[in-house]
């Protein structure tokens, strides 16, 4: 199975900050890397698919990058509604594993 | 409006069975891969299983293989997750989610149904 490791596990930041979350795969997953946002008590929502493609309706302050085994999710200017937990996921091969999550909290 | 609605969760004893349903609306399930993902209380997301468009190809996580079975009723646009021999570690919120292809992101999720396995 492909292991997905996110860092950091938690992050405190302020409104307006630029933040980056990293996700590393245990082997190459080509471009089959997705990012989700989850708020408490809600289902996850797709933010970015195929490394850098923004899902419809997602604000442009979210961006994704990387290749091979190392990937990033960047939020250019944090807004109050962005404080949530973020997960990366590989869909290169089953089981389609998720990272352990990064909880983004208000400083 | 595209929607997925799960149901069938509840409190059950270890070793028993439960069948979850996922009703799709606003799209046809045979046009998408449908996944099940679970989340134990306070924990992260765990991918559980996928049923592909044609309905014959299904894959399961090792943690549920041999105990959980996917099926689909095309006439009802509904997916099912039959869960047998339930264990305490199966306690979780269960979500169904669709993906345009097996390797694409999950672009629509249901609200989830909670399964609690406890004696």
């Amino acid at each position: 199975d492909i292991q997905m490791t996110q860092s950091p596990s938690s992050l405190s930041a302020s409104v307006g900050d630029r933040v980056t979350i990293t996700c590393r795969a245990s082997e190459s997953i080509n471009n089959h890397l997705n990012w989700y946002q989850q708020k408490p008590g809600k289902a996850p929502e797709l933010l970015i698919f195929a490394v850098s493609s923004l899902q419809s309706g997602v604000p442009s302050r979210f961006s994704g990058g990387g290749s091979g085994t190392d990937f990033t999710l960047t939020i250019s200017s944090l807004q109050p509604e962005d404080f949530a937990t973020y997960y990366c996921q590989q869909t290169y091969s089953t089981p389609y594993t998720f990272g352990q999550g990064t909880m983004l909290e208000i400083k | 409006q595209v929607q997925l609605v799960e149901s069938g969760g509840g409190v059950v004893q270890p070793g028993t069975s439960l069948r979850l349903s996922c009703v799709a609306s606003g799209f046809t399930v045979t046009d998408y891969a449908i996944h099940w993902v679970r989340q134990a209380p306070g924990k992260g997301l765990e991918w559980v299983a996928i049923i592909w468009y044609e309905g014959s190809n299904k894959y399961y996580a090792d943690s549920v293989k041999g105990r959980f079975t996917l099926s689909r009723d095309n006439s009802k646009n509904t997916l099912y997750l039959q869960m047998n021999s339930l264990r305490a570690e199966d306690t979780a919120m269960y979500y169904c989610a669709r993906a345009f292809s097996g390797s694409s992101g999950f672009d629509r999720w249901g609200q989830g149904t909670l399964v609690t396995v406890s004696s």
Side-chain angles (χ1 to χ4, degrees):
Chain A
D1 298 358
I2 297 174
Q3 308 303 317
M4 306 299 290
T5 304
Q6 286 180 235
S7 61
S9 296
S10 63
L11 175 60
S12 293
S14 301
V15 173
D17 285 354
R18 178 185 180 91
V19 299
T20 296
I21 298 169
T22 297
C23 178
R24 173 165 288 176
S26 59
E27 61 186 81
S28 177
I29 57 173
N30 290 334
N31 69 335
H32 298 295
L33 190 282
N34 312 304
W35 289 96
Y36 300 87
Q37 177 193 69
Q38 187 180 32
K39 296 181 178 179
K42 301 291 187 181
E45 294 185 356
L46 180 64
L47 295 175
I48 289 172
F49 62 95
V51 178
S52 58
S53 296
L54 205 61
Q55 175 67 4
S56 176
V58 174
S60 59
R61 62 181 179 273
F62 291 91
S63 63
S67 63
T69 60
D70 295 307
F71 304 92
T72 58
L73 171 69
T74 298
I75 310 173
S76 60
S77 178
L78 276 172
Q79 299 302 301
E81 60 268 28
D82 299 337
F83 292 94
T85 300
Y86 294 84
Y87 294 92
C88 63
Q89 179 206 29
Q90 65 81 18
T91 46
Y92 179 68
S93 66
T94 56
Y96 292 149
T97 41
F98 292 87
Q100 80 278 14
T102 295
M103 183 179 295
L104 180 52
E105 300 173 311
I106 300 174
K107 184 182 289 184
Chain B
Q1 180 184 359
V2 173
Q3 198 172 10
L4 292 160
V5 178
E6 303 93 335
S7 63
V11 181
V12 296
Q13 293 190 334
T16 60
S17 300
L18 206 57
R19 189 179 80 160
L20 305 184
S21 300
C22 171
V23 179
S25 56
F27 72 100
T28 303
V29 294
T30 54
D31 291 338
Y32 288 81
I34 302 295
H35 300 260
W36 289 86
V37 176
R38 68 184 181 182
Q39 187 169 36
K43 302 298 184 182
L45 302 170
E46 179 188 10
W47 179 84
V48 172
I50 177 178
I51 180 168
W52 285 61
Y53 329 95
E54 78 287 347
S56 59
N57 283 326
K58 307 165 192 176
Y59 295 93
Y60 302 89
D62 286 346
S63 57
V64 306
K65 199 174 296 181
R67 301 187 299 123
F68 289 14
T69 303
L70 286 169
S71 62
R72 189 174 72 189
D73 185 333
N74 296 341
S75 68
K76 295 182 179 179
N77 220 31
T78 299
L79 296 302
Y80 302 101
L81 182 66
Q82 178 67 42
M83 305 187 296
N84 298 333
S85 303
L86 283 162
R87 306 167 180 168
E89 54 265 36
D90 295 319
T91 293
M93 182 71 77
Y94 284 74
Y95 298 99
C96 60
R98 78 169 194 181
F100 183 69
S101 71
S103 60
S104 65
F106 302 177
D107 71 336
R108 289 289 192 276
W109 296 63
Q111 85 288 349
T113 188
L114 182 61
V115 173
T116 302
V117 184
S118 173
S119 55

